[in-house]
Amino acid sequence: MQILKTREELAAWRETVSGTLGLVMTMGALHEGHLELVRAAQDFADTVLVTVFVNPTQFAPGEDFETYPRDLESDAEKLRQEGVDALFAPTPEVMYPEGEAQVRFDPGPAAKILEGKTRPTHFAGVLLVVGKMFHLTRPDIACFGRKDAQQLAIVTQMVKDLDFSVQIVPVEICREEDGLAMSSRNRYLSTAQRETALELSRSLQWGVENAEEYGSQALASAVHERLAAVPGIEVDYVALVDSEGYVPITQAGYHGKATLALAAKVGNTRLIDNVDLWM
């Protein structure tokens, strides 16, 4: 596996690639969920490039950019074991050589709700780095996890609206045996907090099991109430949204596929999770 650090190294490597290229973008601290993205890319493409870059533009002041876990050596070894062809691991100075970017993407109305309401600059920063990586790497396919479902919806919309010549491949959520959605931030949790965090996936499953009883108008509120009653959990939101456009479902009697999504803090660690269901 080649490790690329500069734009010049990346461009030279890209010229050697024949066939289709699959891209997996990460911020490192790789876990099994990231490796599932890699395996999906290998199923779709002849060559796979993984990026490891903790992107400063998607962190707001006071968020965990400085403390976000970083272990490039360990990440590289995991990727070697998966047979990844190349790893692009730039610094912020490589990705943003002029300093703060003056031109940004408008991520649209879907970025103003849920995650976007809590983190109002987040998705503009995500689309900036995704757009730059797409231009620099010129992939044929790019794999994104369904755990970041709102991000997946917004990136997919950007590709459609701005005519990026890349196919977005969604990959299912990877969970621990006890149901906790895999996340690089899980390592922040103490043993007791990790046990408390299991209530996120349990509440989502409870929502699936009780969707018919509560219906589209009351389900999210019922799950919110259940989760908020758990000591040690501070609920940010619970929402029932359209699985494609990520618009909240508010009409009574909705029938069709939907996504039940939530975000909550366990201690100081903010976690997200979601599950698809049929109403």
Side-chain angles (χ1 to χ4, degrees):
M1 181 182 73
Q2 294 193 49
I3 298 180
L4 315 167
K5 295 290 188 71
T6 68
R7 289 167 176 252
E8 292 76 18
E9 290 173 348
L10 175 63
W13 176 84
R14 183 64 180 88
E15 290 303 312
T16 70
V17 174
S18 59
T20 54
L21 177 63
L23 175 66
V24 176
M25 293 180 56
T26 81
M27 292 203 300
L30 302 183
H31 52 67
E32 188 66 20
H34 296 113
L35 301 182
E36 282 297 311
L37 296 177
V38 169
R39 293 162 193 152
Q42 290 170 330
D43 288 340
F44 280 85
D46 301 309
T47 301
V48 172
L49 170 68
V50 175
T51 68
V52 170
F53 178 59
V54 183
N55 174 41
T57 68
Q58 65 194 67
F59 290 81
E63 293 185 343
D64 59 345
F65 173 70
E66 296 296 338
T67 59
Y68 194 86
R70 294 164 171 86
D71 190 348
L72 185 60
E73 184 176 341
S74 174
D75 291 341
E77 182 55 33
K78 291 175 182 176
L79 296 174
R80 285 190 190 96
Q81 293 177 10
E82 292 296 326
V84 168
D85 298 281
L87 165 62
F88 180 44
T91 63
E93 290 74 24
V94 169
M95 287 302 296
Y96 303 108
E98 302 297 324
E100 185 174 350
Q102 300 301 306
V103 176
R104 302 291 184 102
F105 289 94
D106 180 351
K112 294 179 172 62
I113 59 174
L114 306 181
E115 287 299 294
K117 184 176 181 180
T118 299
R119 309 175 69 190
T121 63
H122 175 68
F123 288 114
V126 169
L127 292 192
L128 177 62
V129 75
V130 170
K132 287 171 73 71
M133 285 293 191
F134 283 171
H135 287 311
L136 290 169
T137 64
R138 307 191 313 278
D140 297 284
I141 68 107
C143 294
F144 287 83
R146 290 189 184 276
K147 186 173 80 72
D148 295 298
Q150 190 171 5
Q151 171 182 279
L152 172 62
I154 291 169
V155 168
T156 301
Q157 192 67 48
M158 177 187 76
V159 167
K160 178 181 177 182
D161 287 351
L162 301 184
D163 299 306
F164 280 86
S165 57
V166 58
Q167 176 188 353
I168 302 300
V169 176
V171 179
E172 295 302 323
I173 297 173
C174 200
R175 298 185 180 277
E176 304 286 357
E177 289 186 5
D178 55 14
L180 183 67
M182 290 187 180
S183 169
S184 299
R185 289 187 169 96
N186 288 349
R187 65 183 65 192
Y188 296 158
L189 301 170
S190 68
T191 301
Q193 288 171 340
R194 193 190 179 290
E195 184 64 29
T196 299
L198 294 178
E199 290 299 328
L200 274 65
S201 58
R202 290 170 182 164
S203 292
L204 289 174
Q205 186 56 40
W206 181 88
V208 172
E209 294 167 358
N210 291 274
E212 184 175 353
E213 176 184 349
Y214 285 94
S216 55
Q217 281 193 309
L219 180 61
S221 295
V223 175
H224 189 290
E225 183 177 351
R226 181 186 190 279
L227 193 58
V230 179
I233 292 181
E234 180 185 343
V235 182
D236 184 347
Y237 64 79
V238 179
L240 186 70
V241 300
D242 175 85
S243 298
E244 299 300 324
Y246 225 78
V247 177
I249 296 169
T250 57
Q251 68 267 38
Y254 173 86
H255 295 287
K257 186 179 180 182
T259 297
L260 184 62
L262 59 79
K265 275 190 174 182
V266 181
N268 292 321
T269 305
R270 189 173 185 275
L271 301 173
I272 61 173
D273 201 351
N274 68 82
V275 65
D276 289 342
L277 70 161
W278 288 90
M279 299 295 295

